[in-house]
Amino acid sequence: MIKSMAKNAAGHYARRALLPEGFRDQLAPRAEQEGRLVSALMETFLAYGYDRVAPPLVEYEDSILFGPGAVRAATMFRLMDPDTQRPMALRGDITGQMSRLAATRLKSAPRPLRLAYAGNVLRTKGSQVRPTRQFIQAGVELIGSASLEAEVEVIALAVASLKKVGIAGLSLDLTLAPLVGLLVDRLDLDAEDRLSLIKALDAKDVGGLSVVPEHSRDMFTRLIGCTGPADTVLPQLRELALSGAAGQLVARLGRLIDALDRRLDDVRLTVDPCETHGFEYKSGIGFALFSASAQGELARGGRYLIDGGDDGFEESTGFSVYLDSLMASVRPADRAEKIFLPFGTGTDIGAALREDGHRTVAGLTEVSEPGQEARRLGCSHIWRDGTVRAL
Amino acid sequence: MIKSMAKNAAGHYARRALLPEGFRDQLAPRAEQEGRLVSALMETFLAYGYDRVAPPLVEYEDSILFGPGAVRAATMFRLMDPDTQRPMALRGDITGQMSRLAATRLKSAPRPLRLAYAGNVLRTKGSQVRPTRQFIQAGVELIGSASLEAEVEVIALAVASLKKVGIAGLSLDLTLAPLVGLLVDRLDLDAEDRLSLIKALDAKDVGGLSVVPEHSRDMFTRLIGCTGPADTVLPQLRELALSGAAGQLVARLGRLIDALDRRLDDVRLTVDPCETHGFEYKSGIGFALFSASAQGELARGGRYLIDGGDDGFEESTGFSVYLDSLMASVRPADRAEKIFLPFGTGTDIGAALREDGHRTVAGLTEVSEPGQEARRLGCSHIWRDGTVRAL
């Protein structure tokens, strides 16, 4: 029966082998390298006192699309639970699941709550910067502390975890996601003008400031110029003498930069207060990490509010690393060294070599030229005359 | 805007926090322990010369439901690719993906091909033995060797990987999946009688042998009795003096048991030649591993044929460990020890402790009773007077 099933389908794989766009098979040594990167990141998170949690890949739609998840609604795969006929979704982000945990099962766990995670996320559409539709997201959330020290810890941890996996020449870009909204709301613009102004600020397009009343135009023009190294931008931002919540945000940014300067002496700090794209759900300071050796951003994070229901809101600060970006930024791993054990080599010899941390490849049949066979199988070494010899 | 979105949804999580049946949040220390088990299994696979590969969670339906995947068709989640409108499925098993890789991208890689994998699989329905609908499958495939040594290696690796994660008292149950089919096909029964006989043999129900012609009834009765320790069952099976392919299968079983006896002196060997359930796709000897400390089976595997298209079939031998079963069989991990660093502790102290392999929890704000705060946060130790003290 097996044979006939197989025969009917002969050549099936050859014809159907294509994967959907944006999904891929990771092969050796890449798949192993990615696994090791995830483990190394997680070890750093755990060393800073974060507890690993692992929420499922699938949730009910109304649970996963809530809160931070709402931003991802359009790009999540939907599926039906055949048991309950309730719509479910595949997660496109893990941050929202941390919020759910904090507000439910871990509601009465002591604060601040430190959670770490690593797992696959899936999206219906790849983007230009991220063409893959499945990738691993690893990160942390520090939940329940409004202190500045929370941002400092999370940023320091993001930096430490990237350094641990060999990323050098890091720069940290700080954003003030709510600032633009706070300043624009003071202008009493109609919805259309409001949106065009936010876009102009995001694009740093001075020409787009025409909708701003004259009394404020100078301030916005100067704000657009406030982009670059923290030590030049921070004085410029302070000179704007913003009042109220906007002023408090700038003051907090100043204190954060002071603290980071003391703690992260080898990380370049930049500020981009008008950057809002991708930080829509952030309620305070946001950040992204770049490296001279990488094309795009390696990690991003910031502060947002978790809806705890009747218990009100909780401040949360966290960051995520995306493994596809990280993999593109590290030196590709070499193929592992392997020792070929010709057929008939004692099993105790293989066991002892593996115990010493070597990888062995056992010959399954007698061959006339074991050295040739070892090379054919991609081994770097062979067991011969009672010792390991390089090929 | 953020505040008002959040307010509208106040209490949302509290109402909607339920996960679909069979999906769950793994919390600390369980999620960490599972991650470590997967890493430890993978390290053993790599030590035996297997290369890690990582196929995607999603494939086109006609690709993933082919071959070994066909067995899982009824229990796989389906979803639509919005790009191409082609139906896709979430993998319910990784073995079939290894077949696909062997027959396509790794078609010209040298044989035998040794592949290792670990990742999530999802199923629409939980079973009685496995109520979860998402769990991690980790395993290997040794592709392109018909040698007996291939079975020996894969079984030895399964045993080694389980021992490495602390499973003791292992027993190995060997099955002969095609044997029943080979013997029943000789009887010239109609379809109904054929099926009822296979069921009777699987259930070891002697009463169900009434459909067997008299000349063969004694043989089948004795076959049903052939269940138990390898050293008693093997002579009984040999006494049946089966001819043709059935006889060859028994002879191979004998040689395998000899080889395993020499290599695995602390594993109890049993034989169950009539067991076919769950081994439907196996083309040769199958096996399952049990432990005195575990309820169900911990690993299963065996030999099957991969359809290589125009290039014909390839013999493959492999096994899988399911992490839900494994987690149920290992001692639950204790919560990790953590050292509380009161607010203001120098960052170099935390760095040095982490460098030494400790986990630290930084106090984010000044508190009057650091010892109390450390306990509240679940720490086992505190940094006080220039040293680490137990709480």
Side-chain angles (χ1 to χ4, degrees):
Chain A
M1 187 195 87
I2 291 156
K3 289 244 176 187
S4 68
M5 274 176 69
K7 264 181 198 159
N8 289 341
H12 176 102
Y13 284 132
R15 293 192 306 274
R16 310 272 191 189
L18 281 177
L19 291 175
E21 183 95 23
F23 292 96
R24 61 191 171 168
D25 294 311
Q26 299 251 57
L27 302 183
R30 209 176 160 74
E32 180 184 338
Q33 185 176 21
E34 187 171 70
R36 291 197 189 281
L37 286 174
V38 172
S39 295
L41 291 171
M42 184 55 68
E43 289 306 325
T44 308
F45 304 162
L46 296 174
Y48 278 73
Y50 287 73
D51 285 330
R52 183 169 191 171
V53 294
L57 285 160
V58 171
E59 293 194 26
Y60 286 128
E61 212 176 58
D62 53 6
S63 163
I64 205 164
L65 294 182
F66 174 69
V71 177
R72 303 258 169 248
T75 62
M76 264 192 239
F77 281 110
R78 315 299 172 88
L79 56 171
M80 191 59 74
D81 185 0
D83 262 13
T84 60
Q85 295 297 315
R86 274 178 68 183
M88 311 196 298
L90 278 169
R91 69 181 176 197
D93 179 72
I94 304 182
T95 313
Q97 296 186 304
M98 296 300 111
S99 304
R100 176 179 58 72
L101 276 174
T104 57
R105 278 187 68 186
L106 298 174
K107 192 171 176 167
S108 50
R111 265 43 174 179
L113 182 63
R114 289 175 168 90
L115 302 179
Y117 57 84
N120 275 298
V121 296
L122 293 101
R123 299 192 182 158
T124 52
K125 282 177 201 311
S127 66
Q128 226 167 354
V129 288
R130 174 163 288 130
T132 48
R133 297 201 279 171
Q134 176 190 331
F135 45 88
I136 295 173
Q137 179 184 5
V140 307
E141 287 296 330
L142 175 51
I143 297 159
S145 172
S147 71
L148 187 78
E149 199 50 40
E151 270 115 338
V152 175
E153 172 172 312
V154 165
I155 290 172
L157 175 51
V159 168
S161 60
L162 289 175
K163 280 188 181 175
K164 185 85 180 182
V165 296
I167 303 288
L170 283 171
S171 67
L172 176 76
D173 193 39
L174 294 160
T175 63
L176 295 171
L179 182 73
V180 163
L182 288 168
L183 297 177
V184 169
D185 285 350
R186 294 177 184 176
L187 297 182
D188 198 28
L189 299 176
D190 63 30
E192 195 183 331
D193 284 353
R194 188 180 182 283
L195 193 65
S196 87
L197 176 54
I198 289 175
K199 279 189 180 168
L201 291 167
D202 199 43
K204 294 165 190 61
D205 166 24
V206 179
L209 299 184
S210 54
V211 298
V212 177
E214 199 143 342
H215 62 82
S216 293
R217 205 170 298 162
D218 176 58
M219 190 273 282
F220 278 99
T221 307
R222 285 160 66 201
L223 183 65
I224 283 184
C226 287
T227 300
D231 49 7
T232 48
V233 170
L234 192 60
Q236 292 168 5
L237 269 176
R238 282 174 171 151
E239 269 167 36
L240 295 180
L242 301 172
S243 59
Q248 284 164 25
L249 209 52
V250 171
R252 189 180 181 100
L253 178 70
R255 292 199 305 279
L256 178 63
I257 288 170
D258 278 353
L260 294 175
D261 266 338
R262 283 195 303 275
R263 186 145 170 183
L264 306 172
D265 50 8
D266 55 352
V267 175
R268 197 171 146 258
L269 298 185
T270 60
V271 178
D272 192 350
C274 298
E275 167 84 38
T276 50
H277 186 74
F279 291 96
E280 290 82 356
Y281 219 80
K282 296 291 183 284
S283 66
I285 292 166
F287 65 89
L289 275 158
F290 300 84
S291 152
S293 67
Q295 285 225 320
E297 64 178 42
L298 290 168
R300 78 159 37 202
R303 181 173 285 273
Y304 67 98
L305 292 172
I306 294 177
D307 176 11
D310 296 341
D311 298 329
F313 299 96
E314 278 199 291
E315 299 271 352
S316 182
T317 312
F319 78 92
S320 295
V321 180
Y322 296 99
L323 267 289
D324 53 346
S325 307
L326 187 58
M327 284 288 281
S329 314
V330 295
R331 205 177 64 83
D334 296 323
R335 286 195 75 92
E337 299 206 324
K338 292 176 188 166
I339 304 168
F340 182 69
L341 308 177
F343 181 74
T345 304
T347 55
D348 52 330
I349 291 167
L353 289 170
R354 289 188 296 270
E355 195 58 42
D356 280 353
H358 296 292
R359 301 188 189 189
T360 61
V361 172
L364 299 179
T365 50
E366 187 91 56
V367 294
S368 55
E369 296 280 359
Q372 203 174 307
E373 177 72 354
R375 264 185 223 99
R376 190 183 69 81
L377 291 172
C379 294
S380 54
H381 294 74
I382 187 168
W383 179 261
R384 183 184 283 158
D385 306 327
T387 186
V388 174
R389 292 176 192 277
L391 283 166
Chain B
M1 189 196 82
I2 292 157
K3 288 243 180 192
S4 67
M5 276 176 67
K7 264 181 197 158
N8 289 340
H12 175 100
Y13 284 131
R15 292 193 306 274
R16 309 272 191 189
L18 281 177
L19 291 175
E21 183 94 22
F23 293 96
R24 60 190 172 169
D25 294 311
Q26 299 251 54
L27 301 183
R30 206 175 161 74
E32 180 184 338
Q33 184 176 22
E34 187 171 68
R36 290 194 190 283
L37 286 175
V38 172
S39 295
L41 291 171
M42 184 55 67
E43 289 305 326
T44 308
F45 304 161
L46 297 174
Y48 277 73
Y50 287 72
D51 284 331
R52 183 169 191 170
V53 294
L57 285 161
V58 172
E59 293 195 25
Y60 285 127
E61 213 176 57
D62 53 8
S63 164
I64 205 165
L65 294 183
F66 174 68
V71 178
R72 304 259 168 245
T75 61
M76 264 193 238
F77 282 110
R78 315 299 171 92
L79 58 170
M80 192 58 76
D81 184 0
D83 261 12
T84 59
Q85 296 297 316
R86 276 179 69 184
M88 309 196 300
L90 280 170
R91 69 179 177 198
D93 179 71
I94 304 182
T95 313
Q97 294 187 306
M98 296 300 111
S99 304
R100 177 179 58 73
L101 276 175
T104 57
R105 278 187 70 185
L106 298 173
K107 192 170 177 167
S108 51
R111 263 45 174 179
L113 182 63
R114 290 176 166 89
L115 302 180
Y117 57 84
N120 276 295
V121 295
L122 293 101
R123 299 192 183 159
T124 52
K125 281 180 201 310
S127 66
Q128 227 167 352
V129 288
R130 176 164 287 129
T132 48
R133 297 201 281 171
Q134 177 190 329
F135 45 88
I136 294 172
Q137 180 184 5
V140 305
E141 287 297 330
L142 174 51
I143 297 158
S145 173
S147 70
L148 187 79
E149 200 48 42
E151 269 117 337
V152 176
E153 172 172 313
V154 165
I155 290 172
L157 175 50
V159 168
S161 60
L162 288 175
K163 280 188 180 175
K164 186 82 180 184
V165 297
I167 303 289
L170 282 171
S171 66
L172 176 75
D173 193 39
L174 294 161
T175 64
L176 294 172
L179 182 73
V180 163
L182 288 168
L183 297 176
V184 169
D185 285 351
R186 295 179 184 175
L187 298 181
D188 197 30
L189 299 175
D190 65 29
E192 197 182 330
D193 284 352
R194 188 180 184 284
L195 193 66
S196 87
L197 176 55
I198 290 176
K199 278 188 181 166
L201 291 167
D202 199 43
K204 294 166 190 58
D205 168 24
V206 179
L209 298 184
S210 53
V211 298
V212 177
E214 200 145 339
H215 62 80
S216 295
R217 206 171 296 161
D218 177 57
M219 190 273 284
F220 278 99
T221 309
R222 286 159 67 200
L223 183 66
I224 282 185
C226 287
T227 301
D231 49 7
T232 47
V233 170
L234 192 59
Q236 291 167 7
L237 269 176
R238 283 175 171 152
E239 270 167 36
L240 295 180
L242 301 172
S243 60
Q248 284 164 27
L249 210 51
V250 171
R252 190 181 180 96
L253 178 70
R255 292 199 305 279
L256 179 63
I257 288 170
D258 278 352
L260 294 175
D261 266 338
R262 284 194 303 274
R263 185 144 172 184
L264 306 173
D265 51 7
D266 54 352
V267 175
R268 198 172 144 256
L269 298 185
T270 60
V271 177
D272 192 351
C274 297
E275 167 85 38
T276 49
H277 186 73
F279 290 96
E280 289 82 355
Y281 218 80
K282 297 291 184 286
S283 66
I285 292 166
F287 66 89
L289 276 157
F290 299 84
S291 152
S293 67
Q295 286 225 321
E297 63 179 42
L298 290 168
R300 79 159 36 203
R303 181 173 285 272
Y304 66 98
L305 292 173
I306 294 176
D307 175 12
D310 297 340
D311 297 331
F313 298 98
E314 278 199 290
E315 299 271 352
S316 183
T317 312
F319 78 92
S320 295
V321 180
Y322 297 99
L323 268 291
D324 51 348
S325 308
L326 187 58
M327 284 289 282
S329 315
V330 296
R331 207 176 64 84
D334 297 324
R335 286 195 75 93
E337 300 206 322
K338 293 176 189 167
I339 305 167
F340 183 69
L341 307 176
F343 181 73
T345 304
T347 54
D348 53 330
I349 290 167
L353 290 169
R354 289 188 295 270
E355 194 60 41
D356 280 353
H358 297 291
R359 301 187 190 191
T360 60
V361 172
L364 299 179
T365 49
E366 187 91 56
V367 293
S368 56
E369 297 281 357
Q372 201 174 308
E373 177 73 353
R375 264 185 225 97
R376 189 182 71 79
L377 291 173
C379 293
S380 53
H381 294 76
I382 187 169
W383 179 261
R384 184 184 282 157
D385 305 329
T387 188
V388 174
R389 293 175 192 277
L391 283 167

